[in-house]
Amino acid sequence: MKILVINCGSSSLKYQLIEMDTESVLAKGLCERIGIDGSVLTHTKTGCDKVVIEEPMPSHKEAVQLVFDALLDSNHGVISSMDEVYAIGHRTVHGGNVFTDSVIVGEKEKEMLKEVSDLAPLHNPANLLGIEACEKVAPGKKNVAVWDTAFGMGMDPKSYLYAIPYELYLKYGIRKYGFHGTSHKYVSGEIIKLANLPEKEVKVIVCHLGNGASVSCSIGGKCVDTSMGLTPLDGLIMGTRSGTIDPGAVQYMCQKLNIGIDECVDILNKESGILGLSGGVSSDFRDVGEAAKDGNEYAKVALEAYRYRVAGYIGQYVAYMNGVDAIAFTAGVGENDIEARAGICSYLTYLGVEIDDNANNVRGEVAQISTDNSKVKVYVYPTNEELAIARETLRLVK
C-alpha cells in the first residue's frame, strides 16, 4: 500500500512515495521555481541516480503532473498506475483552533483552511495550492491534511493561553499553538517504544534543533507544552529568528530604528538568532562553530546562548512534568552537532544525566548517548516527518 507525501511551498514542492507495508521510500524529489522561469524537477528512485527534468511549471498543477509522470516513467518510475497510490498526505502548517487533528480534505475543509490562513499567510495558501493541484490531476484520490500545529493542540489551557484579554483568544484565536508538531509527535512516539515503560506514563522531552528550533514535552505522547507560540518566531534562538523577546524591546526597536512593526518583525525573523548574535557570521551552525574555534568571540557567545536556552527549556519542562524519563535530540543540529548536544547536557547533571562521549560521537542515526547509569536516558533520533505524515494519512483513509 503506497502513500504519496507532498510538502508544498509557494514556489516549490517536495514529495516522497512510501510503501507502507515496509515503511520504505520508493522515490522522492523536489520541484523548484514553480511559476518562475527555469522550473526544474529533481527525481530520485531509491537506489538509483538523480534524474533532472527541466520543464515549465506555470502552476502547482503542472508540478504535480510532472511528479506523477516521473513516478510512472518506464525508466525511473516506481509504479505502473496511479491506482497503486492509495492516498496523498499533505504537510499543512497552521490549523488554528479549527483543526485539532489530521483530516480528509473536502470542500468544507478547504474553506476552513482559507479562514485560518491569516495565521500562516506564507504557508497555508501554498499548502492549499498543493491539495487543489492533486485534486485536478488525480480526481477521486483522497487527500489528507496533516497539521504542524496538531501536536500542540493537546496542551491544556494553562499551557496555551496568553495572559491577554480573554476575548482576544475567543475572537481571534490568539494563543500558543506550537510548530514542528509532526516531528515532535513522531520522535516522542519512537522514544516511548525505546523507553520500555508503561506508555501512558512516559515523560519525554524532544529537542528539534535545526535552523528552526523548538522543544516539546509530553506524557504518554500527549503534548504538555512546546516552545513555539502563535507563530514560529517564539521560543528558542534559531538560525535567523530571535526566539522569545520582550515585547517592550520590539517597541523600542521600532522607535530607535524609525520603522513599523512589520519591518521590525522581519528583522526578528530574518536577521536575528545565531546570525545576529554572531555579528553576521552566518545562520549556519557549522560556520559559526568554525568561527568560534578561530577565536571569534561573537560566535562563541552565540553558541553558548543557544545551548543555554535549550537547557533552560528542558529544565522548565522537567518542572512542568514533575520529572522526565527520556530526552531526544533531532533535526539538523540535534542529529549532527556533537558539541551542541554535549554542551546542552552539561547543564543537566542535576537530573543525573551522564553522557557517554564515545556514544555521543554519532551523526544522523538512532543512538543512546547517555551512559547506562544515567538517571535520564538521552537519545539521538532522526526525525522523519514524511513517514509521520504517511502514517497519519493511512490511519484516516484505511
Side-chain angles (χ1 to χ4, degrees):
M1 190 176 293
K2 300 173 181 66
I3 299 291
L4 178 62
V5 176
I6 286 181
N7 182 350
C8 210
S10 58
S11 62
S12 65
L13 186 157
K14 292 193 290 186
Y15 64 92
Q16 286 190 10
L17 184 66
I18 300 175
E19 173 54 69
M20 297 306 295
D21 293 338
T22 57
E23 294 193 336
S24 56
V25 177
L26 303 177
K28 62 182 179 180
L30 172 65
C31 297
E32 298 176 275
R33 300 181 64 82
I34 299 171
I36 306 170
D37 290 343
S39 302
V40 61
L41 164 62
T42 305
H43 172 86
T44 306
K45 177 181 177 180
T46 298
C48 299
D49 293 335
K50 292 180 180 179
V51 176
V52 177
I53 302 166
E54 297 181 5
E55 292 284 347
M57 301 180 213
S59 72
H60 289 75
K61 178 186 176 186
E62 288 79 15
V64 169
Q65 184 64 64
L66 281 174
V67 170
F68 288 171
D69 291 345
L71 294 172
L72 290 162
D73 188 87
S74 57
N75 293 317
H76 52 258
V78 291
I79 55 175
S80 58
S81 166
M82 280 304 296
D83 291 339
E84 294 182 43
V85 178
Y86 194 64
I88 305 171
H90 297 261
R91 176 181 180 257
T92 39
V93 171
H94 212 309
N97 272 332
V98 176
F99 297 103
T100 60
D101 200 358
S102 307
V103 292
I104 297 173
V105 179
E107 293 303 315
K108 176 184 175 183
E109 287 72 25
K110 287 194 291 182
E111 288 303 314
M112 293 165 69
L113 174 55
K114 292 176 184 176
E115 289 176 10
V116 296
S117 286
D118 58 343
L119 290 169
L122 298 179
H123 297 92
N124 278 22
N127 301 155
L128 181 58
L129 285 173
I131 293 169
E132 292 180 332
C134 288
E135 289 177 333
K136 292 174 182 176
V137 177
K141 197 72 66 178
K142 288 183 178 179
N143 291 273
V144 173
V146 180
W147 306 96
D148 245 17
T149 51
F151 184 66
M153 296 304 287
M155 291 185 287
D156 292 334
K158 64 184 179 185
S159 300
Y160 69 71
L161 285 175
Y162 292 127
I164 58 176
Y166 195 74
E167 63 187 49
L168 296 177
Y169 163 66
L170 295 176
K171 191 171 183 178
Y172 302 112
I174 300 175
R175 52 159 283 179
K176 176 189 284 191
Y177 289 95
F179 297 86
H180 298 141
T182 306
S183 175
H184 284 291
K185 181 177 180 179
Y186 171 78
V187 174
S188 61
E190 296 301 304
I191 295 300
I192 285 173
K193 296 175 186 177
L194 292 177
N196 196 27
L197 291 167
E199 181 176 339
K200 292 183 179 180
E201 301 174 10
V202 182
K203 299 174 181 178
V204 178
I205 292 174
V206 175
C207 303
H208 178 109
L209 309 180
N211 196 270
S214 57
V215 182
S216 74
C217 59
S218 60
I219 300 177
K222 180 181 181 295
C223 182
V224 174
D225 211 330
T226 187
S227 59
M228 285 180 167
L230 175 73
T231 74
L233 182 57
D234 196 16
L236 294 175
I237 296 168
M238 304 176 221
T240 62
R241 295 179 186 139
S242 66
T244 300
I245 185 171
D246 180 356
V250 178
Q251 181 188 39
Y252 192 68
M253 286 172 64
C254 289
Q255 292 171 347
K256 290 299 180 182
L257 298 175
N258 193 27
I259 58 177
I261 187 64
D262 289 345
E263 190 175 349
C264 188
V265 170
D266 206 45
I267 292 171
L268 297 176
N269 267 307
K270 299 177 181 178
E271 301 176 28
S272 302
I274 291 294
L275 174 63
L277 268 178
S278 67
V281 170
S282 178
S283 62
D284 190 305
F285 285 77
R286 293 166 294 188
D287 296 339
V288 178
E290 288 301 316
K293 289 177 183 177
D294 290 340
N296 186 310
E297 291 299 322
Y298 294 113
K300 289 180 183 179
V301 170
L303 295 178
E304 289 170 359
Y306 180 79
R307 296 165 189 176
Y308 177 82
R309 302 289 175 84
V310 176
Y313 268 103
I314 292 172
Q316 181 177 323
Y317 289 169
V318 170
Y320 287 175
M321 297 192 296
N322 195 20
V324 62
D325 296 304
I327 298 168
F329 291 96
T330 194
V333 175
E335 294 169 25
N336 297 291
D337 195 325
I338 296 166
E339 293 179 354
R341 293 193 300 258
I344 292 164
C345 289
S346 69
Y347 287 98
L348 308 179
T349 55
Y350 71 98
L351 293 174
V353 168
E354 294 181 5
I355 296 300
D356 183 324
D357 291 337
N358 290 326
N360 188 38
N361 190 26
V362 64
R363 291 182 173 89
E365 59 185 77
V366 177
Q368 179 181 317
I369 62 172
S370 54
T371 66
D372 290 337
N373 293 326
S374 180
K375 292 182 180 178
V376 177
K377 301 303 180 187
V378 183
Y379 299 92
V380 175
Y381 206 102
T383 191
N384 192 335
E385 292 177 273
E386 290 79 11
L387 177 57
I389 291 169
R391 286 176 177 175
E392 278 290 284
T393 301
L394 184 61
R395 177 179 69 85
L396 286 182
V397 302
K398 190 173 182 179

